[in-house]
Every structure is written in C-alpha cells, then in structure tokens.
C-alpha cells in the first residue's frame, strides 16, 4: 500500500475531475490493508477548488516558484517596515508582473489538464498569489502544493510570519481537515489564523489605536501632557534626591511632549501611507481584473467576428453556387425547349426519309426484276442464235 504522503501527492497533483474517485480508491486500499487510521486521514482530504488546483499545478510545474514568492514577499515586507517608497514602487511593479504572468500560466496549465479557468477562478488565483506574497504562512501553504481553497489577504501592509503549522488552505501533515481560509481574521490574511488588530512588527492594538486616532484627526495632546507629568512625578520621587529646578523640569516636559508629538505624527503618517499603499494595490488589482475581463471580451469579440466572417463567406459561397445552379438550369431549360421545338421537324424529316427509303427500296426491287427479265431475254436470244448457227449448212 502507498504511504499517506504518496496518496496526498497523487491526489493533489492529478486531474481534478476524478479526485473523489481516486480518493475513495485510496481509502478502500487502506482499509484492505487494515490501516484504519490512514483510511480516515485519506477520507478527510478535501477536493480542491478549481482555483486552488490551478495554484497547486503552478507550484508542481515550477518548484522554484515558492522561493520566488518568499523572496519577493520578504523584500516587500522589509521595504514596508523601512518605509522605503522607491523600493515599494519597484517591488510593486515586480509583484504585478509576477502575479499576472503566473495567472496566465495557471490558465494554460488548467486548460492542459482539461479545466477552463473562469474569470472568478482567475481572480481567486490572483488573490491567493497576492496573499502568498503578503503572508509567509500562505506562501508555505502554496509551496506545499496541496491547497484546497483560495486565500485572500485583506487589510494594510503585510502579515508577520507565524510558527510552523498555522497554514491556510493546505492539507496538514496529520491528515486532519484543512483550515478554512476565509473563516478567520480581519486586517490580515483570511484563513491564516492571524489575530485581528496586530500590525506587522508591532504590538497588539497599536495599529487599531493609531488608526482610530487618525480617523478622528486627533493627535491626542493630552497624552504628551500625561507623559510629561508622569516623568515629573518619577523625577521627584527619588526619596531624598535633589529636585531639579522648575526650568529644567519644564524643558524636560517640553522635550517629552515634542517626542510624543513626533511619535504620534510618525504613526499618523505611517497609517496614512498604509492606507495609500492599500488603496493603490486595490486600484491596481481592479485594473488587472478589468484588463483580464477586457482581454476575455476582446478574445470573445474576435472569435465572434471570425465566426461571423466565416458565416458570411459561407453565405456568399452558397449564393454563388445557387446562382450557378440557376444559370445551369436556365441553360438546360433553353436547350430542352429548343429540342422540343426541333422534335416535330425531326419527326417530319424522319418520316420523309423513311418514305424515300421505301421508294428507293421499291425502285431497287423493280430494277432487279427488270434486270432479271433482261438477263433471261438475253439468254434466250443467245440460245436462239446458237440454234440458228447450228442449223446453217
């Protein structure tokens, strides 16, 4: 009997139409081998969606694709953390080129496997690849080549890596049912198990609080005052140490407020940048989808135009053939009419010829009789001449 890994590889690397039949056959084989645990694990394997199956085909067709996704995703996360605008723009171009090229290749591979990717399935492939670039967990799931459903990254920026085993839409090694990619998470990769409200490289709740402040347009001036007051209390609670002068305390408080203001301003600008990056990526995704739909419509239009041109050519050929037949029929009818008109004359000529032939035949017979009579008369004359000659003395 084949191992569980071999069965998983065969199921998720084979044709999509007979997935269930091959899975059931593997379950029966495991039960026949008295391996109930493996049979249960195989029976729990879910049939992938068309989009997930197409992504699996991509990874299995090019094993280096997983490393390319990881490398580009890591570069984008580094650029986001350092707020490197030029690098983000360049990496964004690379991401769009890579994803669009992979979607086109997925269509070709799916067509070769007997499946046609619809527009919705192509969008799901695009979303899954984009999520793999944004979230290392999704990249690991894609690299496994056993996705059962698509994955979508929502929110701003990229997601942090999580411990091994938190995978979205991938068949676990234990054979249990895969996690649902769209059931958890808001503000990270859906299905990746990311906690909502945790920013990449930040603490829980920081992104949410900064977003709330940015939405309100409030720089929270009271926060810096509280921080300054706290610093003053802390400075004065030394228990016997000399209390700083009021000028030094005021200067320290002002510096504290300035630092807090700058930190809040940086947080607000970072949040605004994340909004802008997300809006740009969403617009680019919409543009890519619109281009895909336009290409599909243009292809369909070209096919319809070609079909129409073929039909028009066939119609013209049919009209030409009909005209030729009509002309040929008219010619046949003219010749038939001429033949019918000539038929009485031909009949009269035939009758006259027959009459002349009979007359000639009669004349020949009469001449034959006359010849016969003349021949007999000549013979009698010769006989008489002979007798007369014999009678001479």
């Amino acid at each position: 009997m084949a191992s569980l890994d071999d069965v998983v590889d065969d199921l998720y690397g084979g044709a999509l139409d007979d997935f269930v039949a091959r899975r059931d056959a593997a379950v029966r084989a495991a039960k026949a081998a008295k391996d109930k645990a493996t049979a249960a694990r195989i029976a729990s394997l879910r049939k992938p969606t068309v989009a997930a199956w197409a992504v699996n085909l991509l990874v299995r067709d090019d094993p280096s694709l997983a490393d390319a996704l990881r490398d580009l995703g890591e570069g984008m996360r580094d650029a986001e953390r350092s707020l490197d605008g030029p690098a983000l723009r360049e990496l964004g171009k690379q991401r769009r080129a890579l994803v669009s090229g992979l979607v086109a290749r997925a269509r070709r591979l799916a067509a070769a496997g007997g499946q046609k990717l619809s527009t919705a399935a192509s969008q799901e492939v695009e979303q899954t690849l984009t999520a793999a670039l944004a979230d290392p967990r999704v990249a690991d799931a894609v690299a496994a080549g056993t996705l059962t459903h698509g994955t979508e990254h929502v929110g701003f920026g990229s997601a942090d890596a999580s411990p091994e085993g938190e995978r979205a839409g991938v068949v676990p090694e234990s054979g249990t049912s895969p996690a649902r990619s769209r059931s958890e998470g808001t503000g990270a990769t859906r299905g990746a198990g990311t906690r909502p409200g945790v920013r990449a490289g930040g603490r829980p709740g920081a992104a949410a609080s900064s977003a709330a402040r940015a939405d309100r347009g409030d720089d929270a001036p009271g926060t810096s005052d509280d921080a300054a007051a706290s610093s003053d209390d802390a400075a004065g609670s030394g228990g016997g140490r000399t209390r700083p002068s009021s000028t030094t305390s005021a200067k320290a408080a002002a510096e504290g407020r300035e630092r807090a203001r700058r930190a809040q301003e940086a947080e607000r600008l970072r949040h605004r940048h994340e909004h802008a990056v997300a809006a740009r990526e969403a617009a680019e995704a919409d543009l890519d989808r619109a281009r895909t739909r336009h290409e599909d419509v243009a292809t369909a239009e070209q096919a319809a135009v070609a079909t129409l041109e073929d039909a028009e050519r066939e119609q013209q050929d049919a009209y030409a053939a009909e005209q030729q037949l009509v002309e040929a029929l008219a010619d046949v009818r003219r010749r038939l009419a001429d033949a019918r008109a000539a038929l009485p004359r031909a009949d009269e000529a035939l009758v006259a010829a027959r009459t002349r032939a009979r007359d000639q035949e009669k004349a020949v017979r009469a001449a034959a009789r006359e010849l016969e009579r003349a021949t007999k008369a000549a013979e009698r004359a010769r006989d008489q001449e002979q007798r007369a000659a014999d009678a001479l003395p």
Side-chain angles (χ1 to χ4, degrees), residues 9-179:
D9 187 68
D10 175 70
L11 288 176
Y12 290 95
L16 185 62
D17 292 336
D18 59 350
F19 179 93
V20 175
R22 289 185 287 115
R23 182 187 61 191
D24 295 343
V27 171
R28 290 193 296 270
K31 290 181 178 179
K34 308 298 183 183
D35 192 347
K36 294 182 179 179
T38 301
R41 291 177 179 179
I42 296 174
S44 68
L45 298 177
R46 294 175 55 189
K47 179 180 179 181
T49 63
V50 175
W53 174 74
V55 175
N56 293 337
L57 289 182
L58 281 174
V59 178
R60 294 174 182 275
D61 181 67
D62 183 7
S64 64
L65 173 60
D67 292 334
L69 291 173
R70 290 192 184 99
D71 292 342
L72 182 56
E74 184 61 30
M76 295 182 69
R77 285 188 290 275
D78 290 341
E80 288 177 1
R81 283 191 289 267
S82 62
L83 298 179
D84 190 346
L88 280 173
R89 286 190 292 272
E90 178 62 27
L91 292 172
K93 293 179 181 178
Q94 296 180 19
R95 176 187 64 81
R96 291 190 296 274
L98 177 62
V99 172
S100 61
L102 291 177
V103 171
R105 192 195 306 176
R107 287 177 177 172
R108 293 192 296 268
L109 292 174
Q115 294 286 341
K116 181 180 180 181
L117 286 186
S118 63
T119 302
S122 298
Q123 292 177 358
E124 190 173 350
V125 171
E126 176 185 348
Q127 292 168 355
T128 301
L129 294 173
T130 303
L133 290 170
D135 193 336
R137 293 167 299 185
V138 181
D140 292 339
V142 170
T146 55
L147 285 178
T148 58
H149 48 274
T151 306
E152 181 181 4
H153 178 74
V154 294
F156 308 122
S158 302
D160 289 337
S162 65
E164 184 67 23
E166 296 183 12
R167 296 178 179 179
V170 63
V171 177
E173 294 180 358
S174 62
T176 57
S177 298

Side-chain angles (χ1 to χ4, degrees), residues 340-364:
R340 287 176 177 172
L343 184 60
R345 294 191 297 271
D347 290 341
E348 293 176 357
L350 179 61
V351 171
R354 287 177 177 174
T355 302
R356 287 194 298 271
R358 286 196 295 268
D359 293 342
Q360 292 293 334
E361 184 179 358
K362 292 178 180 178
V364 169

